[in-house]
Structures are given as C-alpha cells and as structure tokens.
Amino acid sequence: AQTVTQSQPEMSVQEAETVTLSCTYDTSENNYYLFWYKQPPSRQMILVIRQEAYKQQNATENRFSVNFQKAAKSFSLKISDSQLGDTAMYFCAFTPLTQGGSEKLVFGKGTKLTVNP
Amino acid sequence: DAGVIQSPRHEVTEMGQEVTLRCKPISGHDYLFWYRQTMMRGLELLIYFNNNVPIDDSGMPEDRFSAKMPNASFSTLKIQPSEPRDSAVYFCASSLTRGPYEQYFGPGTRLTVT
C-alpha cells in the first residue's frame, strides 16, 4: 500500500525564523511526483511546491524549499523567513506515475503550522 | 482560467433532505476528484472520474452518496437522505493525466446538516 506519513501534527515558529516540516512515504514505484499543499484558514488548498522523483535537485519556490531523499523516502519542507501568512495546515502528497500517467494523490494527515509574531 | 468552480459555497439543510453539490473542473482536465474533509477523519477521497467515467468509488461512505459526471465540464455529488454526520467541507479537484500532475482544488462547499 502507498502511504504518506506526517509525524508532526502541530508545529509553531516565530516570525522570520525557519521551520522544517517532515514527510515520509512508502511506495514500490520508481517514478512519481511529490507535493506540498497549504491550506490556510480560508480552507483553499494551494499548491506550494512539487518535486519529480527522477530529479536529484531539490525544488525551491521563493522561501519554500524541499529536502528530497529518495533512498530514505523522505520529503521535508523548509520554510525560511516565516511570515504570519504561512499559518496554515500543510499536506504532503504523492502520486505514482505509470505508463498511463498520473491518477490519484495520496495525502498525509497534515501538519498544522502556526507562525507567532 | 477561472480555476475549479464549486457551488454552493455553503449549504445548510435539515436531516433527511437531499443535497446536491456541483463542480466545474478546469477546462481540458481529464481527471475529477471529490474529497470530504472533517476534523476527525481529515481529507478523504470519495470518488474520482477519468474522462467522465468513474474509476474508483471505494471511498463513498454509503449508498446515500452518489456522484455523476455527465460531461467533461460538470459533476455532481448528491447525498440523499442527508444526516448530521455528513457535515463537512466537500472539495472538488481536477488534474491532467499527462501532467502537470498536481491537483487543482476548488474552494470547497461547507455542508451543515442539522
């Protein structure tokens, strides 16, 4: 079974500091994509960052970056210079790729991040 | 593109009533997903379609729930009869088989059954 585990139900960080959210996954597939989604209090699900498994280089998007360790099946999210607007639930997700392409995402249970002023 | 559109944004109904949630996916997307989110159970995949055909409905909680996709630009999720435990936020999302592979979510429908 393919699973995604987020071991930190809740985290907090001071504004302007750096925080890392953990995610591990389990799959026998070799080709897949990984994602981090953000869900602020408005409840809109927003894509933060994506990583292709075949790329060794870690993805970055402005203040957001990932540490992708394929052998360890680990995909952590680092938020630098945290801002109050980063307060949200963060979901790690994974989709295997087959010859037919991608189907559904497997989501973790989420990490609730609070950025304190 | 306007993104995934869901209606209504909020729905309050009494137990036993029929509820219909609507979704318009992003034009050209060939996958459509229905999710339910609650505090207790988190984000649950209910059903998904590929090219308007239901692929996996194993997440549909019971026969009171049904979903249809009559064409590529419209889907409905119906609950009949509704119960208080159906209260949740229901999300619709769409994606492309051939990439990019992320799902684009609608704003959700907050359903309250009293």
Side-chain angles (χ1 to χ4, degrees), chain A residues 33 35 37 39 41-47 50 52 89 91 95-109 112, chain B residues 9-10 31 33 35 37 41-43 45 48 55-56 58 89 91 95-98 100-110:
Chain A
Y33 272 65
F35 307 95
Y37 280 86
Q39 188 179 37
S42 67
R43 77 170 183 254
Q44 176 72 52
M45 292 282 280
I46 303 165
L47 178 68
R50 80 168 70 83
E52 297 107 291
M89 183 74 83
F91 292 94
T95 186
L97 297 182
T98 64
Q99 285 187 336
S102 166
E103 287 197 4
K104 63 182 181 181
L105 293 180
V106 180
F107 282 90
K109 294 192 179 300
K112 184 178 180 181
Chain B
R9 295 293 304 276
H10 303 272
Y31 271 101
F33 304 83
Y35 292 90
Q37 187 178 37
R41 301 173 71 94
L43 193 64
L45 176 63
Y48 67 98
I55 302 300
D56 185 353
S58 60
V89 179
F91 287 100
S95 68
L96 283 166
T97 306
R98 296 293 179 181
Y101 302 106
E102 60 264 30
Q103 292 180 13
Y104 296 81
F105 282 76
T109 295
R110 180 176 291 280

Side-chain angles (χ1 to χ4, degrees), chain B residues 8 10 20 28 54 62 71 75 83 87-90 106:
Chain B
H10 303 272
T20 299
E62 48 198 276
N71 57 62
S75 178
E83 297 182 3
S87 296
V89 179
Y90 291 82

Side-chain angles (χ1 to χ4, degrees), chain A residues 37 44-45, chain B residues 1-9 22-35 69 72-75 90-96 102-109:
Chain A
Y37 280 86
Q44 176 72 52
M45 292 282 280
Chain B
D1 200 315
V4 176
I5 299 172
Q6 290 187 248
S7 64
R9 295 293 304 276
R22 296 172 177 80
C23 175
K24 176 179 169 55
I26 292 173
S27 178
H29 281 194
D30 52 2
Y31 271 101
L32 184 138
F33 304 83
W34 281 102
Y35 292 90
M69 193 166 185
S73 59
F74 184 66
S75 178
Y90 291 82
F91 287 100
C92 176
S94 68
S95 68
L96 283 166
E102 60 264 30
Q103 292 180 13
Y104 296 81
F105 282 76
T109 295

Side-chain angles (χ1 to χ4, degrees), chain B residues 77-88:
Chain B
L77 178 68
K78 186 176 294 186
I79 308 173
Q80 166 63 22
S82 58
E83 297 182 3
R85 61 192 168 122
D86 301 331
S87 296

Side-chain angles (χ1 to χ4, degrees), chain A residues 10-28:
Chain A
E10 292 192 39
M11 295 189 71
S12 63
V13 63
Q14 292 299 122
E15 196 175 6
E17 294 187 347
T18 295
V19 64
T20 298
L21 309 183
S22 301
C23 172
T24 57
Y25 57 94
D26 188 19
T27 183
S28 57

